[in-house]
Amino acid sequence: MQRFRITFAKGDEVKYISHLDLMRAWERALRRAKIPLAYSQGFNPHPRLFFAAALPVGFTGRAEMLDVVLQKHMELHEFASRLKGQLPPGLQLENVMEVPMTLPPLPAQVVAAEYEVVVESQDAPQEMQARLDDLLVVPSLPWRRERPNGVREYDLRPLIRALWIVGRRERAYVIGMRLQADERGTGRPNDVIAALGLADAVHSIERVRLLLAQD
């Protein structure tokens, strides 16, 4: 057995496909590349592919992660070379590295995620900075999230680790945020933007980095 960790970008062309369709796209690409995939046991075996974290529909991703388990050894450069030519438009291979089989499952290693959100705003830079600062100083931020099975009430503030202004583009700002993403809770950039009073100003959301426990 061998385990490769793929870092890839999910671009605008595929930002509206579901996580399930993304999994299928990767499975098809790996099969076309004739990668010797390892499969799960049982009546309905599946390729052993493990995504770090599902990306919501409508988001792009700059450094998404996927672990692939192989049943036979391959050289890393051959794996990457075969795969590059098989990816559909919108998916781009950024990096491949071999990781030990003994590491915990990739989803269990994720502790936080960083996003860049483009919002349209007429705020002066100091006004936008004040929005971020005012949110970060509150000790708690009661929040409600509607789900198909009911409303969930929780404190959004502990899920926000950092907020900053990445830059400004004419009438828009790029807001950076680092949000918790582990078994205790996962922060959502949409909720943070709404808490900043900018829910109607969102132009785009990109996940730019996933932070693992060992980072």
Side-chain angles (χ1 to χ4, degrees):
M1 293 283 189
Q2 187 179 23
R3 180 174 172 182
F4 283 130
R5 177 158 300 163
I6 295 171
T7 303
F8 66 96
K10 181 185 177 190
D12 284 322
E13 300 94 326
V14 289
K15 70 179 183 180
Y16 291 113
I17 69 171
S18 68
H19 184 64
L20 181 59
D21 286 337
L22 178 67
M23 292 171 62
R24 290 170 176 156
W26 272 103
E27 186 177 331
R28 287 194 293 268
L30 288 159
R31 284 177 172 164
R32 286 195 298 268
K34 301 187 185 308
I35 303 298
L37 297 171
Y39 283 78
S40 61
Q41 302 295 316
F43 291 107
N44 189 20
H46 296 283
R48 294 181 62 185
L49 311 180
F50 304 94
F51 288 82
L55 191 62
V57 172
F59 290 17
T60 56
R62 193 181 301 173
E64 300 299 292
M65 291 183 184
L66 162 66
D67 275 5
V68 179
V69 180
L70 278 57
Q71 63 175 344
K72 292 194 302 186
H73 184 275
M74 277 188 79
E75 295 297 329
L76 188 148
H77 68 85
E78 183 184 3
F79 177 89
S81 177
R82 283 197 201 177
L83 192 52
K84 272 184 179 177
Q86 301 300 333
L87 292 175
L91 292 181
Q92 182 171 329
L93 192 66
E94 300 291 347
N95 187 49
V96 181
M97 60 186 293
E98 185 172 358
V99 295
M101 289 293 299
T102 52
L103 282 180
L106 182 54
Q109 298 179 52
V110 178
V111 295
E114 289 184 356
Y115 297 86
E116 289 185 2
V117 183
V118 178
V119 293
E120 296 178 356
S121 172
Q122 300 291 336
D123 282 359
Q126 61 270 27
E127 293 173 323
M128 181 58 73
Q129 186 62 55
R131 284 182 188 262
L132 308 188
D133 294 342
D134 289 347
L135 188 62
L136 291 173
V137 297
V138 299
S140 67
L141 190 57
W143 205 255
R144 290 166 57 90
R145 182 182 298 166
E146 293 188 4
R147 294 179 164 186
N149 57 350
V151 175
R152 181 195 170 206
E153 297 184 352
Y154 64 102
D155 187 356
L156 176 62
R157 179 62 189 86
L159 304 179
I160 306 171
R161 296 189 176 182
L163 293 172
W164 65 94
I165 297 174
V166 177
R168 194 176 183 187
R169 302 173 185 168
E170 298 181 348
R171 297 181 179 179
Y173 285 88
V174 182
I175 306 297
M177 57 183 74
R178 182 180 303 148
L179 307 180
Q180 181 175 308
D182 59 20
E183 72 282 357
R184 296 170 297 170
T186 297
R188 296 188 176 190
N190 320 55
D191 292 342
V192 178
I193 288 297
L196 289 168
L198 297 167
D200 296 330
V202 175
H203 180 268
S204 64
I205 301 177
E206 182 171 45
R207 187 159 66 191
V208 297
R209 186 184 177 199
L210 288 162
L211 288 87
L212 306 184
Q214 63 268 28
D215 288 342

